[in-house]
Amino acid sequence: MTITQPDLSVFTTLESEVRSYCRSWPTVFDRAQGSHLHDEDGHDYLDFFAGAGSLNYGHNNPVLKRALIDYLEHDGVTNGLDMSTTAKRAFLEFFQNTILRPRELPYKVMFPGPTGTNAVEAALKLARKVKGRETIVSFTNAFHGMSLGSLAVTGNAFKRAGAGIPLVHTTRMPFDHYLDDRTPDFLWFEQLLDDSGSGLDQPAAVIVETIQGEGGINVASPQWLRALAQLCEQHDMLLIVDDIQMGCGRTGAFFSFEEAGITPDIVTVSKSISGYGLPMSLCLFRPELDVWEPGEHNGTFRGNNPAFVTAAAALNAYWTDDKLEQQTLAHARTIEAALRDTAAHHSGSAYRGRGMVWGLELPHPEHAGRAARRAFQLGLLIETSGAHDEVIKLLPPLTITTDELDRGLRIAQRAVYETA
């Protein structure tokens, strides 16, 4: 693909230096549909980024777009804060009947604000309020958001440094496989909990991702998650699952923890819950934990009604049967086979993932960066993740076609080979 030099002057002179993704993909995007993005010069890019997981159903999904247009043309409420609206009622009814009841999940639903970090902040605040304790346990290489509470339970040193103040009242424990399986799971954690001289204050909660996306596609086994849930129950700690990037079908089932057969006390959901890339997040929790006073946690944009509309449409279109889940699992086998072949030709590399989130870890971090840049030149958007950006991260829309998936995987393989 021949890419002409786009006019980026207004971005480079006026927009903050904090911008990041645009540096990896130096073009000006104009249109998007399904699994494709198009820049203003007419170049087509397959999207294996999917809005960092906020576009599980693809760009401008026609079913969701129709529902949104109809709602706006009807002059539906746009921002309702926490007022009762027809759009919110429809979403809550669909969510209860399509997601919660079939899975026998007892959760109350809280709308904490527009983004994932809002949901995490609410979860941490609620856990501390319920238990009357300050300490939260999180895990190595975790990522939970960029506001102060979420950063405190995030592992990445670069992101944590941006806080500018000490990040306190948290304790880090090793994630699954962090110690290369040399040490039994939770041996250190249990020792600290059982020893009154350990210096570990009794935690209010543990927060965990079932798959660490930003941390390098680190996959917790079902056995590890079940053991963690049991440990929380034994030691009177709430279990919070951060399902912001891995939920909404990314791993196959709607919630990523379903495979493990656990029921977390609190679950955070965002990114693809709106279905359309519109800001929306949920904090779900057991009814007995609903100890909030009215207005004790709020936010102006927690009532994004257009997002409720597209969210309800997504649930109705994709979660009344198991077709999408089965397609995701079939695509997973295709991705795994491609990565297995690629890893076999690159000594020291490894691949891992579930559903439609996969990573290829390369032995030299700069190789992953070179491959991602080459993929862009070839018409594919992929990002890197991991503590040293050593992992090529594949996060295509769940609705991608088989032909599109095959084409994107071939481009990714070519980019790895050509930049070795």
Side-chain angles (χ1 to χ4, degrees), residues 85-119:
T85 65
T86 55
K88 183 193 282 189
R89 178 171 58 196
F91 167 72
L92 285 170
E93 289 174 348
F94 269 112
F95 193 67
Q96 182 179 48
N97 295 329
T98 307
I99 303 301
L100 298 181
R101 278 181 178 161
R103 293 161 179 78
E104 298 183 349
L105 294 172
Y107 299 133
K108 298 287 289 291
V109 179
M110 176 183 177
F111 299 98
T115 72
T117 198
N118 296 124

Short mmCIF file of all heavy atoms in Angstrom, two decimals, residues 85-119:
data_model
loop_
_atom_site.label_atom_id
_atom_site.label_comp_id
_atom_site.label_asym_id
_atom_site.label_seq_id
_atom_site.Cartn_x
_atom_site.Cartn_y
_atom_site.Cartn_z
N THR A 85 -35.84 6.83 32.24
CA THR A 85 -36.21 7.12 30.85
C THR A 85 -36.62 5.83 30.16
O THR A 85 -36.30 4.73 30.62
CB THR A 85 -35.02 7.74 30.07
OG1 THR A 85 -33.96 6.76 29.98
CG2 THR A 85 -34.50 9.00 30.75
N THR A 86 -37.29 5.98 29.05
CA THR A 86 -37.69 4.78 28.30
C THR A 86 -36.48 4.02 27.79
O THR A 86 -36.49 2.78 27.75
CB THR A 86 -38.60 5.18 27.12
OG1 THR A 86 -37.92 6.15 26.31
CG2 THR A 86 -39.92 5.76 27.61
N ALA A 87 -35.43 4.73 27.41
CA ALA A 87 -34.22 4.06 26.89
C ALA A 87 -33.54 3.26 27.99
O ALA A 87 -33.10 2.13 27.76
CB ALA A 87 -33.26 5.10 26.30
N LYS A 88 -33.45 3.84 29.18
CA LYS A 88 -32.82 3.11 30.28
C LYS A 88 -33.66 1.89 30.66
O LYS A 88 -33.12 0.81 30.93
CB LYS A 88 -32.63 4.01 31.49
CG LYS A 88 -31.91 3.30 32.64
CD LYS A 88 -31.98 4.04 33.94
CE LYS A 88 -31.02 5.20 33.99
NZ LYS A 88 -30.94 5.79 35.36
N ARG A 89 -34.99 2.07 30.70
CA ARG A 89 -35.85 0.92 31.05
C ARG A 89 -35.67 -0.22 30.06
O ARG A 89 -35.54 -1.39 30.45
CB ARG A 89 -37.32 1.36 31.08
CG ARG A 89 -38.28 0.20 31.38
CD ARG A 89 -39.69 0.70 31.62
NE ARG A 89 -40.20 1.44 30.48
CZ ARG A 89 -41.26 2.24 30.54
NH1 ARG A 89 -41.91 2.41 31.68
NH2 ARG A 89 -41.67 2.88 29.45
N ALA A 90 -35.65 0.11 28.77
CA ALA A 90 -35.48 -0.93 27.76
C ALA A 90 -34.16 -1.66 27.93
O ALA A 90 -34.10 -2.90 27.85
CB ALA A 90 -35.58 -0.33 26.36
N PHE A 91 -33.08 -0.90 28.18
CA PHE A 91 -31.79 -1.57 28.38
C PHE A 91 -31.82 -2.47 29.60
O PHE A 91 -31.36 -3.63 29.55
CB PHE A 91 -30.66 -0.55 28.53
CG PHE A 91 -29.40 -1.19 29.04
CD1 PHE A 91 -28.65 -2.01 28.22
CD2 PHE A 91 -29.00 -1.03 30.37
CE1 PHE A 91 -27.51 -2.65 28.69
CE2 PHE A 91 -27.86 -1.67 30.84
CZ PHE A 91 -27.12 -2.48 30.01
N LEU A 92 -32.32 -1.97 30.73
CA LEU A 92 -32.33 -2.77 31.96
C LEU A 92 -33.15 -4.04 31.78
O LEU A 92 -32.75 -5.11 32.26
CB LEU A 92 -32.87 -1.93 33.12
CG LEU A 92 -31.93 -0.87 33.68
CD1 LEU A 92 -32.66 0.04 34.66
CD2 LEU A 92 -30.72 -1.52 34.37
N GLU A 93 -34.26 -3.94 31.09
CA GLU A 93 -35.09 -5.13 30.88
C GLU A 93 -34.37 -6.13 29.99
O GLU A 93 -34.37 -7.34 30.28
CB GLU A 93 -36.44 -4.72 30.28
CG GLU A 93 -37.34 -4.00 31.27
CD GLU A 93 -38.62 -3.47 30.65
OE1 GLU A 93 -38.72 -3.46 29.40
OE2 GLU A 93 -39.52 -3.05 31.42
N PHE A 94 -33.75 -5.66 28.91
CA PHE A 94 -32.99 -6.57 28.05
C PHE A 94 -31.83 -7.19 28.81
O PHE A 94 -31.56 -8.40 28.69
CB PHE A 94 -32.47 -5.82 26.82
CG PHE A 94 -33.39 -5.86 25.64
CD1 PHE A 94 -34.02 -4.71 25.19
CD2 PHE A 94 -33.64 -7.05 24.97
CE1 PHE A 94 -34.88 -4.73 24.11
CE2 PHE A 94 -34.49 -7.10 23.88
CZ PHE A 94 -35.11 -5.93 23.45
N PHE A 95 -31.12 -6.39 29.59
CA PHE A 95 -29.96 -6.89 30.32
C PHE A 95 -30.38 -7.94 31.34
O PHE A 95 -29.70 -8.98 31.48
CB PHE A 95 -29.24 -5.73 31.01
CG PHE A 95 -27.87 -6.07 31.53
CD1 PHE A 95 -26.84 -6.37 30.66
CD2 PHE A 95 -27.62 -6.10 32.89
CE1 PHE A 95 -25.57 -6.69 31.12
CE2 PHE A 95 -26.36 -6.42 33.37
CZ PHE A 95 -25.34 -6.71 32.49
N GLN A 96 -31.46 -7.68 32.03
CA GLN A 96 -31.93 -8.65 33.01
C GLN A 96 -32.39 -9.95 32.34
O GLN A 96 -32.01 -11.05 32.78
CB GLN A 96 -33.08 -8.05 33.81
CG GLN A 96 -33.62 -8.98 34.91
CD GLN A 96 -34.74 -8.33 35.69
OE1 GLN A 96 -35.66 -7.76 35.12
NE2 GLN A 96 -34.64 -8.38 37.01
N ASN A 97 -33.19 -9.84 31.29
CA ASN A 97 -33.79 -11.02 30.68
C ASN A 97 -32.86 -11.79 29.76
O ASN A 97 -32.98 -13.01 29.61
CB ASN A 97 -35.05 -10.61 29.90
CG ASN A 97 -36.14 -10.05 30.80
OD1 ASN A 97 -36.27 -10.45 31.96
ND2 ASN A 97 -36.92 -9.12 30.28
N THR A 98 -31.90 -11.08 29.16
CA THR A 98 -31.00 -11.72 28.19
C THR A 98 -29.69 -12.17 28.81
O THR A 98 -29.13 -13.19 28.40
CB THR A 98 -30.71 -10.75 27.02
OG1 THR A 98 -31.94 -10.28 26.49
CG2 THR A 98 -29.91 -11.42 25.93
N ILE A 99 -29.20 -11.41 29.79
CA ILE A 99 -27.87 -11.69 30.35
C ILE A 99 -27.95 -12.23 31.78
O ILE A 99 -27.45 -13.32 32.07
CB ILE A 99 -26.99 -10.42 30.31
CG1 ILE A 99 -26.87 -9.90 28.86
CG2 ILE A 99 -25.62 -10.72 30.90
CD1 ILE A 99 -26.28 -10.87 27.88
N LEU A 100 -28.56 -11.51 32.68
CA LEU A 100 -28.50 -11.88 34.09
C LEU A 100 -29.31 -13.13 34.42
O LEU A 100 -28.79 -14.08 35.03
CB LEU A 100 -28.94 -10.70 34.96
CG LEU A 100 -28.08 -9.44 34.88
CD1 LEU A 100 -28.61 -8.36 35.82
CD2 LEU A 100 -26.62 -9.74 35.19
N ARG A 101 -30.58 -13.15 34.06
CA ARG A 101 -31.43 -14.27 34.45
C ARG A 101 -30.99 -15.60 33.86
O ARG A 101 -30.93 -16.61 34.59
CB ARG A 101 -32.89 -13.97 34.08
CG ARG A 101 -33.60 -13.10 35.10
CD ARG A 101 -35.03 -12.84 34.72
NE ARG A 101 -35.72 -12.04 35.74
CZ ARG A 101 -36.84 -11.37 35.53
NH1 ARG A 101 -37.41 -11.38 34.32
NH2 ARG A 101 -37.40 -10.68 36.51
N PRO A 102 -30.65 -15.68 32.57
CA PRO A 102 -30.21 -16.98 32.04
C PRO A 102 -28.95 -17.52 32.72
O PRO A 102 -28.73 -18.73 32.73
CB PRO A 102 -29.95 -16.67 30.56
CG PRO A 102 -30.81 -15.49 30.25
CD PRO A 102 -30.79 -14.67 31.50
N ARG A 103 -28.13 -16.62 33.28
CA ARG A 103 -26.90 -17.05 33.96
C ARG A 103 -27.08 -17.12 35.48
O ARG A 103 -26.11 -17.38 36.19
CB ARG A 103 -25.77 -16.06 33.60
CG ARG A 103 -25.38 -16.14 32.14
CD ARG A 103 -24.63 -14.91 31.67
NE ARG A 103 -24.24 -15.02 30.27
CZ ARG A 103 -25.07 -14.84 29.24
NH1 ARG A 103 -26.34 -14.50 29.47
NH2 ARG A 103 -24.66 -14.98 28.00
N GLU A 104 -28.28 -16.86 35.94
CA GLU A 104 -28.60 -16.88 37.37
C GLU A 104 -27.67 -15.97 38.16
O GLU A 104 -27.19 -16.32 39.25
CB GLU A 104 -28.58 -18.31 37.92
CG GLU A 104 -29.61 -19.21 37.25
CD GLU A 104 -29.63 -20.61 37.85
OE1 GLU A 104 -28.71 -20.94 38.63
OE2 GLU A 104 -30.56 -21.37 37.53
N LEU A 105 -27.42 -14.80 37.58
CA LEU A 105 -26.59 -13.80 38.25
C LEU A 105 -27.50 -12.81 38.97
O LEU A 105 -28.43 -12.27 38.38
CB LEU A 105 -25.70 -13.07 37.24
CG LEU A 105 -24.64 -13.95 36.56
CD1 LEU A 105 -23.94 -13.20 35.44
CD2 LEU A 105 -23.62 -14.47 37.58
N PRO A 106 -27.23 -12.55 40.24
CA PRO A 106 -28.18 -11.79 41.08
C PRO A 106 -27.99 -10.29 41.07
O PRO A 106 -28.58 -9.59 41.89
CB PRO A 106 -27.86 -12.35 42.47
CG PRO A 106 -26.37 -12.58 42.44
CD PRO A 106 -26.07 -13.05 41.03
N TYR A 107 -27.18 -9.74 40.18
CA TYR A 107 -26.62 -8.41 40.37
C TYR A 107 -27.63 -7.26 40.28
O TYR A 107 -28.56 -7.29 39.48
CB TYR A 107 -25.53 -8.15 39.32
CG TYR A 107 -24.37 -9.09 39.40
CD1 TYR A 107 -23.86 -9.70 38.25
CD2 TYR A 107 -23.77 -9.40 40.62
CE1 TYR A 107 -22.78 -10.56 38.31
CE2 TYR A 107 -22.68 -10.27 40.69
CZ TYR A 107 -22.20 -10.85 39.53
OH TYR A 107 -21.13 -11.71 39.59
N LYS A 108 -27.38 -6.25 41.10
CA LYS A 108 -27.94 -4.92 40.90
C LYS A 108 -27.06 -4.20 39.88
O LYS A 108 -25.87 -4.51 39.73
CB LYS A 108 -27.95 -4.13 42.23
CG LYS A 108 -28.81 -4.74 43.32
CD LYS A 108 -30.30 -4.57 43.03
CE LYS A 108 -30.78 -3.14 43.18
NZ LYS A 108 -30.79 -2.66 44.57
N VAL A 109 -27.63 -3.21 39.19
CA VAL A 109 -26.92 -2.50 38.13
C VAL A 109 -26.75 -1.04 38.54
O VAL A 109 -27.72 -0.36 38.87
CB VAL A 109 -27.69 -2.57 36.80
CG1 VAL A 109 -26.94 -1.81 35.70
CG2 VAL A 109 -27.92 -4.02 36.38
N MET A 110 -25.52 -0.57 38.48
CA MET A 110 -25.20 0.82 38.78
C MET A 110 -24.58 1.45 37.53
O MET A 110 -23.73 0.83 36.87
CB MET A 110 -24.21 0.90 39.94
CG MET A 110 -23.72 2.29 40.28
SD MET A 110 -22.49 2.20 41.62
CE MET A 110 -22.03 3.93 41.76
N PHE A 111 -25.01 2.67 37.20
CA PHE A 111 -24.42 3.42 36.09
C PHE A 111 -23.50 4.47 36.70
O PHE A 111 -23.95 5.55 37.09
CB PHE A 111 -25.51 4.08 35.27
CG PHE A 111 -26.48 3.11 34.65
CD1 PHE A 111 -27.71 2.85 35.24
CD2 PHE A 111 -26.17 2.44 33.48
CE1 PHE A 111 -28.61 1.95 34.68
CE2 PHE A 111 -27.06 1.53 32.90
CZ PHE A 111 -28.28 1.29 33.52
N PRO A 112 -22.18 4.19 36.78
CA PRO A 112 -21.29 5.07 37.53
C PRO A 112 -20.72 6.25 36.75
O PRO A 112 -20.17 7.17 37.33
CB PRO A 112 -20.16 4.13 37.94
CG PRO A 112 -20.11 3.12 36.84
CD PRO A 112 -21.52 2.95 36.36
N GLY A 113 -20.82 6.23 35.44
CA GLY A 113 -20.21 7.26 34.61
C GLY A 113 -19.90 6.70 33.25
O GLY A 113 -20.20 5.54 32.96
N PRO A 114 -19.28 7.46 32.38
CA PRO A 114 -19.16 7.04 30.98
C PRO A 114 -18.06 6.05 30.67
O PRO A 114 -18.11 5.40 29.62
CB PRO A 114 -18.91 8.36 30.25
CG PRO A 114 -18.25 9.24 31.26
CD PRO A 114 -18.84 8.86 32.59
N THR A 115 -17.03 5.91 31.50
CA THR A 115 -15.87 5.12 31.09
C THR A 115 -15.57 3.99 32.07
O THR A 115 -16.11 3.94 33.18
CB THR A 115 -14.61 6.00 30.98
OG1 THR A 115 -14.17 6.37 32.29
CG2 THR A 115 -14.89 7.27 30.18
N GLY A 116 -14.67 3.10 31.64
CA GLY A 116 -14.31 1.97 32.47
C GLY A 116 -13.73 2.36 33.81
O GLY A 116 -14.03 1.74 34.83
N THR A 117 -12.88 3.38 33.83
CA THR A 117 -12.27 3.76 35.10
C THR A 117 -13.32 4.27 36.09
O THR A 117 -13.15 4.12 37.30
CB THR A 117 -11.15 4.80 34.87
OG1 THR A 117 -10.31 4.83 36.02
CG2 THR A 117 -11.69 6.19 34.60
N ASN A 118 -14.42 4.85 35.60
CA ASN A 118 -15.52 5.24 36.49
C ASN A 118 -16.10 4.02 37.20
O ASN A 118 -16.42 4.07 38.39
CB ASN A 118 -16.64 5.95 35.72
CG ASN A 118 -16.20 7.26 35.11
OD1 ASN A 118 -16.33 7.45 33.91
ND2 ASN A 118 -15.69 8.18 35.91
N ALA A 119 -16.25 2.93 36.45
CA ALA A 119 -16.79 1.71 37.03
C ALA A 119 -15.83 1.12 38.06
O ALA A 119 -16.25 0.64 39.12
CB ALA A 119 -17.08 0.70 35.93
#
